[in-house]
Amino acid sequence: MKLVLLGAPGAGKGTQAQQLVDRYGIPQISTGDLLRAAVANGTELGKEANGHMKAGRLVPDELVVGLMKERLAQDDCKDGFILDGFPRTQNQAVLLEDITDLDAVVNIDVELESLVARLTGRRTCEACNAVFHMLYKPPAVADMCDACGGNLYQRSDDNEETVRSRLDTYVNNTKPLIDHYKDKGLLVEVDGNGAIADIFENICKALDTI
Ligand code: AMP
């Protein structure tokens, strides 16, 4: 299954992707996670990406597409993958078509007004990238990941100012991809409001028909 998860920042792409990994046995590929790892490792790419990420802007297409091309060539992607946060521009979508075909694009639809609260309350595991929320999905033990016991932290771009800028970037650059994939007959629309388990069930039901 070759899958793209579309949706605004905070729509739940990462949370749903982690459950889809277990169901389909294929890897989640998050460009955000790959970029944060590059920043943490101090690579050339990380240095170039860092300023854009801190400001809530997109990292230039050529950097992100190069990263994705390399990742998709790895062995664990041969039976499929779940792309989380890529593509984010029309140009990235076109370049992705040169790298691979897709089975479906799931758009997780959430009212934009609710996303500031979702993102500023989000906590991420520094060891395994599992995603929690202070109100909607709190960990069993404060600041500790349920999955691996790692430390939970607040991403530096999950502050209100950067979140607003990321949402603007989404509306201007990424939202138009909904129509792009609708035109290609690949789009699956899922309501992203409500319980995480219900949203997951709706995604699975939709994917079962493909
Ligand atoms: P995310 O973890 O998906 O919210 O991504 C965090 C940040 O990484 C974004 O705000 C962008 O600065 C950058 N980023 C992630 N994916 C992409 C992409 N496909 N294209 C450009 N920038 C990206």
Side-chain angles (χ1 to χ4, degrees):
M1 172 83 71
K2 296 174 181 171
L3 212 58
V4 165
L5 296 186
L6 268 190
K13 299 186 294 297
T15 301
Q16 296 299 332
Q18 283 161 6
Q19 302 192 55
L20 290 165
V21 166
D22 295 338
R23 184 170 210 259
Y24 290 102
I26 50 177
Q28 168 193 13
I29 303 177
S30 154
T31 35
D33 287 348
L34 293 174
L35 289 166
R36 278 184 290 281
V39 172
N41 291 330
T43 66
E44 280 311 309
L45 180 124
K47 283 179 197 157
E48 227 176 301
N50 196 20
H52 298 289
M53 294 170 78
K54 273 190 175 156
R57 290 189 305 265
L58 292 179
V59 173
D61 286 347
E62 61 275 17
L63 296 183
V64 183
V65 172
L67 198 64
M68 186 51 80
K69 202 170 184 175
E70 229 172 74
R71 183 63 188 87
L72 287 176
Q74 290 174 14
D75 210 39
D76 63 337
C77 295
K78 65 181 191 318
D79 295 329
F81 45 76
I82 302 154
L83 302 190
D84 161 12
F86 183 94
R88 260 173 152 103
T89 65
Q90 181 93 16
N91 187 38
Q92 289 179 15
V94 170
L95 293 171
L96 178 63
E97 279 151 28
D98 291 337
I99 304 175
T100 182
D101 58 339
L102 296 171
D103 294 310
V105 175
V106 177
N107 182 48
I108 305 178
D109 186 34
V110 175
E111 309 239 327
L112 287 186
E113 298 77 62
S114 67
L115 291 175
V116 175
R118 279 202 191 197
L119 285 161
T120 53
R122 180 161 74 176
R123 296 294 180 272
T124 305
C125 174
E126 63 186 15
C128 75
N129 293 316
V131 182
F132 296 83
H133 192 281
M134 304 276 277
L135 297 177
Y136 311 130
K137 193 191 172 196
V141 178
D143 299 329
M144 190 193 279
C145 176
D146 291 354
C148 77
N151 190 40
L152 301 185
Y153 77 108
Q154 182 173 33
R155 276 173 43 178
S156 61
D157 60 352
D158 278 346
N159 66 79
E160 185 164 345
E161 191 191 346
T162 312
V163 162
R164 291 198 185 277
S165 160
R166 289 163 64 201
L167 292 175
D168 284 346
T169 302
Y170 165 76
V171 170
N172 294 326
N173 296 283
T174 311
K175 207 167 174 230
L177 291 181
I178 297 173
D179 283 339
H180 175 89
Y181 286 119
K182 198 181 277 173
D183 291 347
K184 292 193 172 292
L186 287 171
L187 193 75
V188 173
E189 304 244 32
V190 173
D191 183 356
N193 303 288
I196 292 168
D198 295 341
I199 299 165
F200 181 62
E201 202 182 310
N202 288 335
I203 293 176
C204 294
K205 266 192 211 147
L207 293 179
D208 283 348
T209 66
I210 287 168

